[in-house]
Amino acid sequence: MIAARLINTDRPLRRLIPLLGVLFALSLAAKVYCEPFEAAYALSLTAENLGFHEDIFFEENRLALSFEEDPFDLNFDFSFMGGGRYPPHTSYQMGRYFYLNDASTLVSLKNWDFYGGYLPHRDVVQTPYSIYISSLDIPVLNAGFVYTHNRFFYETRWVRLNERSSVEYIGKEDETYIDRGLTFKAFGFDFGNLTVGFENSYMYLGQVFDAESFLLPGPMFALEMILASGGRPWSQANNTNVLMGFFA
């Protein structure tokens, strides 16, 4: 399947014809390759005018690729953006920049769902005023798994916040953002019209990934006290923050 939608672009359509030809060729190649495996695939191109603001033209040219073959999914979705919000990487990009919307791998095996990549993620509680995870679909590097059995569910998720940042703190020269990571956990019971459970987050500074908080299923406030308390052979020097609560 291939689809193209062009709305109010600031570039002549003839400039997009070669690109559409390439996408059509990729679509045919994907069809030939995927049919023996009975896999589903999608290839789409979208170019649209997002609006005007102070004589700045906001434009998005978006390309999305996906491959699905049970139990395996691949997604690659990126945009070529105009409007000057971010600087281009090279002069050949005509003042535009690339933005990654979704680059993820998903694997579903009976009661298990594994996921990882650069993709949007949401809180278990779907609300515009989320406490743990932003309610906006902001793509970020994260990985985890969800286990479900009858009415019970359990999820653990790692989120990269900062790593090797080149962005300086506001008002502080030569000081960049410290490495940070986050582990998010939720478990509870789904009764159809009613879902009750417990969710908590564990943010750590000075490191990007924490194996204990990701792998151990217990509440992370207990984990923090066990690992950070001094005078024990397993004591760790850490700078962490825990947020937790029940939901229904």
Side-chain angles (χ1 to χ4, degrees):
M1 177 182 64
I2 179 170
R5 182 163 61 94
L6 304 173
I7 304 176
N8 297 332
T9 58
D10 67 336
R11 298 162 62 189
L13 181 60
R14 65 176 181 271
R15 295 187 180 182
L16 291 175
I17 292 177
L19 178 58
L20 292 176
V22 173
L23 295 177
F24 182 71
L26 289 174
S27 176
L28 293 179
K31 184 176 180 180
V32 172
Y33 178 77
C34 296
E35 279 183 347
F37 301 96
E38 298 182 354
Y41 67 94
L43 176 63
S44 64
L45 169 68
T46 301
E48 58 184 295
N49 172 11
L50 302 183
F52 290 90
H53 178 67
E54 297 180 355
D55 298 327
I56 298 177
F57 185 84
F58 290 87
E59 176 202 13
E60 178 180 15
N61 299 284
R62 186 165 182 172
L63 175 64
L65 300 159
S66 64
F67 176 85
E68 299 178 6
E69 182 186 2
D70 190 35
F72 189 70
D73 290 357
L74 282 177
N75 299 288
F76 187 73
D77 181 349
F78 71 96
S79 298
F80 193 47
M81 306 286 290
R85 182 176 183 181
Y86 300 114
H89 185 68
T90 67
S91 59
Y92 301 103
Q93 295 174 215
M94 299 173 292
R96 293 167 173 80
Y97 61 91
F98 289 105
Y99 184 82
L100 192 57
N101 302 298
D102 186 348
S104 59
T105 302
L106 311 174
V107 179
S108 298
L109 300 170
K110 294 185 179 179
N111 299 346
W112 297 86
D113 291 316
F114 300 90
Y115 58 88
Y118 199 89
L119 70 159
H121 66 130
R122 303 294 293 269
D123 200 325
V124 174
V125 181
Q126 299 295 321
T127 171
Y129 310 102
S130 174
I131 297 177
Y132 296 89
I133 307 297
S134 173
S135 58
L136 301 177
D137 284 332
I138 301 175
V140 64
L141 185 65
N142 67 96
F145 63 85
V146 181
Y147 173 78
T148 57
H149 181 70
N150 295 331
R151 300 185 183 277
F152 175 77
F153 67 88
Y154 169 71
E155 178 178 5
T156 182
R157 182 190 312 165
W158 165 74
V159 183
R160 186 187 67 177
L161 300 179
N162 299 109
E163 183 179 15
R164 304 186 306 274
S165 176
S166 62
V167 180
E168 292 184 352
Y169 281 117
I170 298 177
K172 296 184 178 181
E173 294 186 11
D174 301 326
E175 185 176 348
T176 59
Y177 286 93
I178 192 173
D179 287 354
R180 297 184 304 154
L182 175 77
T183 301
F184 173 80
K185 289 183 182 293
F187 47 88
F189 296 89
D190 186 355
F191 299 101
N193 295 329
L194 176 65
T195 302
V196 296
F198 175 80
E199 58 181 351
N200 56 162
S201 63
Y202 185 79
M203 186 177 71
Y204 29 89
L205 278 69
Q207 62 188 84
V208 178
F209 177 74
D210 183 82
E212 287 90 350
S213 63
F214 181 78
L215 295 173
L216 303 183
M220 285 183 282
F221 74 91
L223 176 64
E224 181 184 37
M225 292 187 292
I226 293 172
L227 296 179
S229 298
R232 296 165 174 79
W234 56 81
S235 296
Q236 299 179 1
N238 56 9
N239 187 355
T240 59
N241 188 20
V242 176
L243 183 66
M244 58 184 176
F246 293 92
F247 65 89

